[in-house]
Amino acid sequence: MRIVEFPRYESFAQSFLASIPYSESIGFIARVDPTNEEDIDYPFYVTAHEVAHQWWGHQAVGANVQGASMISESLAEYTAMMVMKLEFGPEKMRRFLKYDMDKYLAGRSSEKKKELPLVRVENQQYIHYEKGSVVFYCLQDYIGERNVNRALRDYLKQVAFQEPPYTTALELEASLRQVTPPEYSYLIDDMLDSITLYENRALSATYRELSQGKYEVKLKVAARKLKADELGQEKEVPLADWIDIGVFDEADKPLYMTRHKIVQKETEFTLVVDRVPKKAGIDPWNKLVDRTPDDNVTTVSKL
């Protein structure tokens, strides 16, 4: 595999057979600061994405219909996210998820025609790139990375190097449904077939010291779930969703991270942790598509 630099007259990378043309302006002159929590090693990410096209786009080729770019671009994004997770660890993925979440939210806010669900995307970059990476990362977290990879492996065996008629995103979706546990089946409907948004917020968090080095945390959160149509009209829908509740120490290490079924607009949790808590919240790593992801976590104050 060759990385082929070309001058920055254009700014892109592209995957060809055994070669990736890669603009000087999006990798070779990048300055990534590993000490900056907001910095992203995007040359590493872009390279992983382009290598992933050796499977998604080169072996699995979508028909020229809605959803084709979910097969090529969203799966390349998912593959790159898994490489990043392996390289930097799951705790560091929040910055990548937040980056993609922000770009997706910005993209949908400036949509001039129609925002389509992921499974029917029509070459809209903010959907098949940014939303696609958030959605597939969330799916592997909920239903298991092995399950998602098994679905992709079986799907690729069926469709690799096809002659016409080519595969569609609906066939990919069917493969994912087969490995999804019943309690999480709503995720396929919400994330692929519709435009689903959350408004999750951490309202308050306090703690008190117990005996034997334990700390009791009281966390109050709010949650709303909305469905949007293609023109952006939103409607609140009933909430019965599994959402992460987390408590973190001073170094942002999770002291508690468990998925709870949330059915009310406001819920209060009483949790016990082993070290002094500093932050707590709902969906703290921004796995769900949240309209305001910055308010999911709050500081834990001492009573």
Side-chain angles (χ1 to χ4, degrees), residues 40-93:
I40 291 176
D41 191 347
Y42 70 88
F44 187 98
Y45 186 84
V46 171
T47 304
H49 175 101
E50 297 305 331
V51 172
H53 276 309
Q54 299 296 320
W55 288 266
W56 314 116
H58 287 197
Q59 295 184 40
V61 180
N64 188 21
V65 296
Q66 288 181 328
S69 58
M70 183 179 101
I71 297 170
S72 58
E73 299 299 348
S74 297
L75 290 185
E77 287 286 281
Y78 166 70
T79 305
M81 291 290 277
M82 292 298 98
V83 173
M84 298 292 278
K85 179 183 174 185
L86 185 65
E87 179 73 11
F88 299 108
E91 293 170 13
K92 297 291 186 182
M93 294 308 296

Side-chain angles (χ1 to χ4, degrees), residues 197-200 222-226 236-237 239 265 291:
L197 306 164
Y198 290 85
E199 290 184 350
N200 297 323
R224 293 177 70 225
K225 182 177 179 180
L226 305 102
E236 187 171 358
V237 296
L239 189 68
K265 289 187 178 181
R291 285 164 42 125

Side-chain angles (χ1 to χ4, degrees), residues 6-8 10-12 22-30 42:
F6 64 88
R8 49 183 164 163
E10 297 288 347
S11 180
F12 68 89
Y22 205 125
S23 173
E24 172 193 25
S25 64
I26 65 165
F28 291 90
I29 62 172
Y42 70 88

